[in-house]
Amino acid sequence: MQLANGNLKNLFERVIASLWFVPVLCTMGGVFTAVVMLAFDYAWKDSWELPFWLETTTDGAQTVLSTISGGMITVAGVVLSMTMVTLSITSSQFGSRVLRTRIRDRTTQWTIGLFLGTTVYSLVVLKMVRKIGQEDLLIPHLSVMAAIFFAIISLVVLLYFIHHITMIAQAPEIVASLAHDLNRSIDHIFPEKIGDPPPENVPDGEALTDQQREAIDGGLAIRSTSEGYIQSIDADILLKLATDGDLVIELPKRPGDFLSRQETIARVAGGKSEDEDRLTTTVNEAFYLGNSRSPRQDVNCSVHELAQMAVRALSPGINDPYTAVNCIDRLSAALCRLSERRIPKANRFDEEGHLRLVVDRQTFASVLHAAFDQIRCYALTSVAVSQRLLEGYQRIANCLTEPDQAADVLHQARLTVEGVLEAGHHPADVVLLRQAYVRLKEQLKPLANRPQPSKSSGNGENSEEESSGDGEASGEVIG
């Protein structure tokens, strides 16, 4: 049942993210509304006197409904054409990665759906209009008025859609949309804020022992039965599998990684060779793969989309440093948000405190490198972008709480300044960058000089990192 729920949830998220789901829903809604209105008209056609502005004739009803249905389907085609043109321009100028957010745009989907729904509604009502002399005369007065009302609403929505389509084609709006997805992904994957109390019933201070490490290295190697990008991993399935079989499962892959067939996706300690087929089936069913990455459990998906926009903006063919600056601002703000969150631990335990999962997690350093490495390299030709990078580092530094995070940010800043020096820019620009770097270094000095926690001899991580004090015993997120 749990596996079925996971598959249905993954399928549902794919469906609602598609361009066709809302229009199809609206089309079905148009049919249903027409049936209800016709039934209402038929049931009450002789029970009251209608006001003059609701009355119509069969010829008038047929003319109005024919005009509305023909006009709405024509405008729906225009809306689709405008959408395709916008997608084409967006893809060519900002990269194909950003199409994901444009396809998910609800305003576009509901606009298309409203026109299709009005068209289908008018056609269904038109079919039921019967002239005088025909059997069972029916003039659907209320249904025709409802069609006129839907047509008026559709025209108002069309005006808003034209305004909306001109707005979402602008670079700042696209960047803001990608940043919204990134912030939502951070909130989903790292829900706990630093300073919040740790979860209850989770053991504290337990680390991966040498014996457990040897057992995992010598355990069963579970291989992938399909290929694609890991969009999500259902940790509840794996945790239940490990708990029921008294196993320890290590996952060397994380959401966002690419899997090829027969590639190792897990190592199982405590498993028997005769159970290898069952374990392979269950573990593979916990991995949801797709042809592209998804931000559901992969923070770096949205990070790479923003970074790609910045890199393309810095290319000689486009030469748009202001878009790159916009991306840097959003990325630095997102990293400020991430620095205030607790990073899930690599070791996950069951309710009784036994180690069950060892995962490859996303960290602040990995997201920082994904955000700025490529931009830093392509920004060598633009001093303004390099300056904004240092401003972004300073914005992040204002939110940092850990010495290792400060070291990572300072490392990025040093590489940025060294790259500008090698590019041979004007000395005045270089002086500004040096001054910004010195200010950042002074700002991070108190944090960088803070004593590091003592190292553990278990698996090379900090003792705090190895504890499960703020990890999760279960939950779907494998960060």
Side-chain angles (χ1 to χ4, degrees):
M1 180 63 67
Q2 184 179 16
L3 179 60
N5 292 337
N7 288 327
L8 289 176
K9 182 177 181 180
N10 189 63
L11 178 62
F12 178 74
E13 290 187 354
R14 291 186 181 184
V15 169
I16 63 174
S18 62
L19 181 62
W20 58 265
F21 176 72
V22 172
V24 169
L25 198 65
C26 291
T27 303
M28 297 172 61
V31 175
F32 177 77
T33 305
V35 172
V36 172
M37 290 299 298
L38 287 169
F40 193 71
D41 262 320
Y42 190 81
W44 294 90
K45 64 179 180 178
D46 298 324
S47 301
W48 60 37
E49 291 187 5
L50 296 174
F52 73 94
W53 52 272
L54 276 180
E55 292 182 350
T56 184
T57 64
T58 53
D59 291 336
Q62 290 176 340
T63 301
V64 169
L65 294 173
S66 300
T67 302
I68 291 176
S69 60
M72 291 298 104
I73 195 64
T74 301
V75 178
V78 174
V79 171
L80 285 171
S81 299
M82 294 175 63
T83 302
M84 293 300 104
V85 170
T86 304
L87 292 177
S88 177
I89 295 175
T90 302
S91 176
S92 61
Q93 186 169 358
F94 304 114
S96 59
R97 287 179 178 268
V98 302
L99 291 184
R100 179 183 58 82
T101 58
R102 298 280 68 85
I103 292 175
R104 293 170 59 100
D105 181 62
R106 293 303 184 196
T107 300
T108 301
Q109 295 176 2
W110 282 108
T111 301
I112 297 173
L114 181 59
F115 282 105
L116 293 179
T118 303
T119 300
V120 172
Y121 174 88
S122 301
L123 290 174
V124 174
V125 175
L126 179 62
K127 176 184 180 297
M128 297 303 297
V129 176
R130 297 184 178 90
K131 293 184 178 181
I132 297 177
Q134 294 181 345
E135 183 181 356
D136 196 11
L137 170 66
L138 175 61
I139 304 177
H141 302 282
L142 295 179
S143 299
V144 173
M145 183 54 64
I148 296 175
F149 175 76
F150 292 149
I152 294 174
I153 295 298
S154 299
L155 293 177
V156 174
V157 171
L158 177 62
L159 293 177
Y160 176 75
F161 172 76
I162 294 174
H163 165 76
H164 177 74
I165 206 73
T166 57
M167 294 296 296
I168 65 173
Q170 300 178 22
E173 293 295 328
I174 297 176
V175 173
S177 177
L178 294 175
H180 174 73
D181 284 351
L182 175 56
N183 291 330
R184 187 170 57 183
S185 182
I186 290 174
D187 292 340
H188 175 67
I189 298 176
F190 310 106
E192 298 174 39
K193 296 183 179 180
I194 293 177
D196 289 348
E200 299 179 354
N201 302 324
V202 179
D204 187 18
E206 295 194 36
L208 186 64
T209 64
D210 293 337
Q211 292 80 5
Q212 290 171 329
R213 180 74 266 169
E214 292 177 0
I216 292 175
D217 292 339
L220 294 175
I222 306 301
R223 302 189 180 277
S224 173
T225 57
S226 56
E227 68 177 24
Y229 288 96
I230 304 175
Q231 294 184 338
S232 62
I233 302 175
D234 196 325
D236 287 336
I237 293 178
L238 297 176
L239 188 63
K240 184 177 186 303
L241 174 66
T243 303
D244 293 343
D246 193 21
L247 309 172
V248 178
I249 302 176
E250 181 184 45
L251 305 179
K253 298 289 186 177
R254 66 181 180 215
D257 291 342
F258 181 80
L259 279 181
S260 60
R261 291 183 183 273
Q262 298 303 311
E263 185 173 359
T264 300
I265 59 174
R267 287 193 175 275
V268 179
K272 300 179 181 179
S273 57
E274 54 267 25
D275 297 331
E276 183 174 357
D277 292 341
R278 179 179 61 85
L279 293 174
T280 298
T281 301
T282 305
V283 171
N284 273 275
E285 288 174 343
F287 282 70
Y288 302 110
L289 307 183
N291 295 327
S292 60
R293 299 173 66 170
S294 169
R296 177 183 171 189
Q297 291 185 4
D298 180 18
V299 169
N300 285 343
C301 175
S302 297
V303 169
H304 286 155
E305 290 172 344
L306 282 168
Q308 185 200 37
M309 276 198 67
V311 168
R312 287 179 67 90
L314 294 172
S315 64
I318 298 179
N319 195 20
D320 180 16
Y322 295 102
T323 296
V325 165
N326 201 345
C327 293
I328 292 170
D329 291 340
R330 295 290 185 171
L331 286 169
S332 60
L335 281 162
C336 283
R337 194 186 194 96
L338 179 62
S339 67
E340 299 171 350
R341 301 303 175 103
R342 293 182 183 272
I343 305 297
K345 301 303 179 182
N347 302 328
R348 313 293 171 86
F349 301 82
D350 60 17
E351 295 180 354
E352 297 180 357
H354 300 123
L355 178 65
R356 295 305 179 195
L357 295 179
V358 180
V359 303
D360 182 18
R361 53 187 179 155
Q362 290 174 323
T363 63
F364 177 85
S366 66
V367 178
L368 179 70
H369 285 289
F372 294 122
D373 279 352
Q374 293 295 322
I375 300 177
R376 172 174 49 79
C377 294
Y378 282 86
L380 297 179
T381 58
S382 175
V383 177
V385 177
S386 298
Q387 290 175 345
R388 188 54 68 96
L389 277 172
L390 287 172
E391 293 177 10
Y393 300 148
Q394 290 177 341
R395 182 180 296 112
I396 299 171
N398 293 329
C399 306
L400 297 182
T401 58
E402 300 295 335
D404 55 345
Q405 296 177 350
D408 292 329
V409 172
L410 197 60
H411 176 68
Q412 282 287 338
R414 180 176 61 82
L415 294 178
T416 301
V417 174
E418 289 177 352
V420 173
L421 292 177
E422 294 178 0
H425 289 286
H426 193 279
D429 295 327
V430 174
V431 169
L432 293 177
L433 288 173
R434 284 183 178 274
Q435 292 174 349
Y437 176 72
V438 170
R439 289 194 300 269
L440 177 64
K441 195 172 181 180
E442 290 297 324
Q443 182 180 356
L444 292 176
K445 182 180 293 185
L447 192 58
N449 292 337
R450 183 188 300 176
Q452 292 276 2
S454 59
K455 298 288 183 178
S456 170
S457 60
N459 56 0
E461 294 183 321
N462 295 344
S463 59
E464 181 203 4
E465 291 292 322
E466 292 174 334
S467 71
S468 59
D470 55 359
E472 59 262 8
S474 63
E476 68 171 16
V477 173
I478 293 187

